[in-house]
């Protein structure tokens, strides 16, 4: 296997990061956490409102309740983790 020097590597193609640190796009522009939480709660409430329907089986009820509980658990978990400083 041939040894590659830094000159050979940079001559073959452009440098990817150069002197800048590599970051993800969400680190540059943080989103609105509060509106995301409010949106998740509104969607969970609308899922629970769909329980009043004309369906006969209980499979739909289980899915609606399960998805609403999952959304609310994510919101509560995110709030607790951010309060404790475990997430940036």
């Amino acid at each position: 296997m041939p040894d590659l020097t830094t000159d050979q590597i940079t001559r073959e193609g452009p440098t990817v990061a150069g002197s800048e640190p590599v970051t993800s796009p969400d680190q540059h522009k943080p989103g609105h956490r509060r509106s995301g939480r409010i949106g998740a709660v509104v969607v969970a409430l609308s899922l629970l409102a769909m329980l009043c329907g004309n369906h006969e089986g209980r499979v739909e009820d289980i899915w609606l309740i399960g998805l609403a509980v999952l959304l609310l658990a994510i919101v509560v978990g995110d709030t607790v983790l951010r309060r404790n400083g475990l997430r940036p």
Side-chain angles (χ1 to χ4, degrees):
M1 188 159 166
D3 292 330
L4 297 175
T5 62
T6 338
D7 294 334
Q8 290 173 338
I9 293 172
T10 55
R11 275 189 276 142
E12 290 178 9
T15 57
V16 176
S19 61
E20 285 187 37
V22 178
T23 57
S24 65
D26 60 342
Q27 290 175 334
H28 298 291
K29 197 188 294 188
H32 301 286
R33 291 186 195 116
R34 185 172 184 207
S35 61
R37 290 177 187 160
I38 292 171
V41 171
V42 167
V43 169
L45 291 176
S46 66
L47 286 172
L48 292 176
M50 289 183 201
L51 290 173
C52 303
N54 59 355
H55 51 273
E56 295 175 6
R58 292 292 172 211
V59 175
E60 296 91 352
D61 294 342
I62 293 170
W63 274 99
L64 290 171
I65 293 171
L67 289 174
V69 167
L70 178 69
L71 274 174
L72 293 176
I74 289 172
V75 169
V76 168
D78 182 56
T79 304
V80 168
L81 286 176
R82 288 190 189 277
R83 185 174 298 150
N84 292 336
L86 298 177
R87 278 182 133 174

